[in-house]
Amino acid sequence: MVLGGFVSLVLTVRFEDRWKARLRRRGNARLAGAVRRMRAEADGPVHVAGFATSVYLVEGDGELVLEPEDIRIRLRGGRAELPGDVVSLRDRVVKELRAARRASVGVAPSWDSRSLVALRGYRIARAGVREDARITLDVTRVDYATFAATVLRLDAEFEWNGVPTTLRRAYLQAPTLERRAVAQPVPFLANGVGIALVAFTDDDRLLLARRRVNTSARGGERDVGVVEGMHADLDLAARGGGLNPYETAVRGCREELGVNVEPADVRLLGFAVDMAYYQWNFVGFVELRKTSDEVLEAQRLHAKDRWEAKLEPVAIDPEVVFTRIRHDGMWDMGLVATYLALCTRCGVGAVARAAERVLGSRPARPPWRR
């Protein structure tokens, strides 16, 4: 009797594991179809409803979720050497931030942080029978002043050797420079690696955020529920050293939403760079295991960074979500994360058709950009 029960339990576990693996393969195949529909050309930027975004998917064709064991982030010593023009820009930013600090009321602003993460290089590999994705990032610390002088000022004009220019024109703009900057990160510009997550609630809502107008990056714009930069001290991997983006996701949910989640609640669907900001992010979604009302209350009570954005629950209906994005605008990284996350919940066909209906008109510029 006992032996029979044990055998039955083993068979049940094996069957469940195989069934879960089968469901995962089917879901991954559907998501792979989503990414193929989004791409207009091999190794080119992602397209949505026929429009080219500024996002390149470095890893994440939709076939596999990037599990924690698939990601290795090695934290290196040293810092990238800044060219003379970037040094001048950083010096100017430091003076501005010091002036702002003197005017503040005894509160040390975030620019004091020296634990942001800068990307120096990456490597993609395939392993196993299923050719699971393996991604390795080499990162170093970077301070907020350097981040502000580069990522936040790519298009700020300045004179260098008597010639007006911008960082984008100098290092990123030409087609050959852009493709090269995707394949080989520009070490002194790739600052602020992080995560961008769509947040789903238990009452079938997707949380859109609107950034406060006084935030330093993309003030007043629509965003996904959780956008968080990696922290060189707080996001350490439990084993093997280095950093873990799942820890960044868990921390981001706590600090921005006031909600505690587990790494198992997070799904990272890809690693991408948005060339409009030269921002590198893992994109995906998180199941918050709470209703939207509970999350709104948790943010008001417990979120340390609640001042950064206001949350708005929206029905998990691709047409409703895309209509809101069309009306309010959203950065391309957020749009791509939203598109992929919706595909996992609503199916590739439904999301593609909704995007075409809502976003597929042909104005002079993509309808989600403002």
Side-chain angles (χ1 to χ4, degrees), residues 62-74:
E63 293 182 357
L64 291 172
V65 172
L66 291 172
E67 303 288 0
E69 60 269 21
D70 299 330
I71 302 168
R72 185 182 182 192
I73 303 179
R74 302 183 295 195

Side-chain angles (χ1 to χ4, degrees), residues 97-109 111:
L97 293 172
R98 283 176 177 166
R101 187 183 187 188
R102 285 194 295 269
S104 67
V105 187
V107 178
W111 74 273

Side-chain angles (χ1 to χ4, degrees), residues 152-213:
L152 300 185
R153 305 199 181 196
L154 284 178
D155 296 305
E157 282 215 343
F158 64 96
E159 282 200 4
W160 184 244
N161 292 331
V163 179
T165 188
T166 67
L167 292 178
R168 186 185 305 281
R169 287 203 297 268
Y171 299 105
L172 300 174
Q173 192 164 49
T176 54
L177 290 178
E178 178 168 306
R179 296 297 180 90
R180 187 184 307 160
V182 172
Q184 298 176 335
V186 180
F188 50 86
L189 294 182
N191 299 312
V193 180
I195 53 102
L197 299 179
V198 174
F200 292 125
T201 64
D202 273 356
D203 54 343
D204 293 326
R205 295 291 186 270
L206 178 155
L207 296 180
L208 289 177
R210 185 183 289 281
R211 297 179 65 80
R212 306 290 185 182
V213 294

Side-chain angles (χ1 to χ4, degrees), residues 285-299:
F285 65 93
V286 57
E287 299 283 359
L288 296 178
R289 313 297 179 188
K290 293 181 180 293
T291 67
S292 54
D293 285 343
E294 289 172 334
V295 176
L296 293 179
E297 183 67 15
Q299 189 197 39

Side-chain angles (χ1 to χ4, degrees), residues 330-341:
M330 179 181 276
W331 69 316
D332 287 0
M333 183 72 80
L335 175 70
V336 170
T338 301
Y339 191 104
L340 291 177

Side-chain angles (χ1 to χ4, degrees), residues 44-313:
V46 167
H47 284 59
V48 173
F51 292 103
T53 72
S54 56
V55 174
Y56 288 76
L57 272 171
V58 173
E59 181 52 79
D61 58 5
E63 293 182 357
L64 291 172
V65 172
L66 291 172
E67 303 288 0
E69 60 269 21
D70 299 330
I71 302 168
R72 185 182 182 192
I73 303 179
R74 302 183 295 195
L75 183 60
R76 305 296 195 184
R79 296 170 186 259
E81 183 177 351
L82 303 181
D85 50 356
V86 180
V87 170
S88 298
L89 287 174
R90 186 185 180 282
D91 289 344
R92 187 185 311 169
V93 168
V94 167
K95 291 178 182 178
E96 294 172 1
L97 293 172
R98 283 176 177 166
R101 187 183 187 188
R102 285 194 295 269
S104 67
V105 187
V107 178
S110 60
W111 74 273
D112 279 337
S113 173
R114 298 178 182 274
S115 298
L116 301 181
V117 172
L119 182 64
R120 297 296 172 255
Y122 65 84
R123 185 172 69 256
I124 308 294
R126 294 289 182 269
V129 176
R130 295 184 305 170
E131 294 190 341
D132 292 356
R134 297 285 190 269
I135 181 167
T136 300
L137 308 184
D138 286 315
V139 301
T140 57
R141 293 172 180 265
V142 69
D143 60 16
Y144 182 79
T146 304
F147 170 82
T150 54
V151 171
L152 300 185
R153 305 199 181 196
L154 284 178
D155 296 305
E157 282 215 343
F158 64 96
E159 282 200 4
W160 184 244
N161 292 331
V163 179
T165 188
T166 67
L167 292 178
R168 186 185 305 281
R169 287 203 297 268
Y171 299 105
L172 300 174
Q173 192 164 49
T176 54
L177 290 178
E178 178 168 306
R179 296 297 180 90
R180 187 184 307 160
V182 172
Q184 298 176 335
V186 180
F188 50 86
L189 294 182
N191 299 312
V193 180
I195 53 102
L197 299 179
V198 174
F200 292 125
T201 64
D202 273 356
D203 54 343
D204 293 326
R205 295 291 186 270
L206 178 155
L207 296 180
L208 289 177
R210 185 183 289 281
R211 297 179 65 80
R212 306 290 185 182
V213 294
N214 59 342
T215 56
S216 58
R218 296 180 284 104
E221 290 188 11
R222 277 288 180 199
D223 213 338
V224 293
V226 181
V227 178
E228 185 70 33
M230 297 196 74
H231 194 288
D233 298 316
L234 301 179
D235 300 334
L236 299 174
R239 292 180 295 179
L243 304 178
N244 182 353
Y246 280 83
E247 293 298 325
T248 309
V250 170
R251 180 174 57 81
C253 288
R254 184 173 62 250
E255 293 183 359
E256 296 190 1
L257 305 181
V259 174
N260 291 320
V261 301
E262 299 294 330
D265 298 323
V266 178
R267 293 291 182 271
L268 298 183
L269 305 175
F271 182 62
V273 56
D274 188 332
M275 294 301 295
Y277 300 91
Y278 206 48
Q279 276 283 269
W280 298 77
N281 284 288
F282 289 94
V283 296
F285 65 93
V286 57
E287 299 283 359
L288 296 178
R289 313 297 179 188
K290 293 181 180 293
T291 67
S292 54
D293 285 343
E294 289 172 334
V295 176
L296 293 179
E297 183 67 15
Q299 189 197 39
R300 285 191 289 267
L301 290 174
H302 307 300
K304 177 172 70 74
D305 295 334
R306 58 184 173 271
W307 61 271
E308 289 185 356
K310 181 179 180 181
L311 298 176
E312 180 180 347

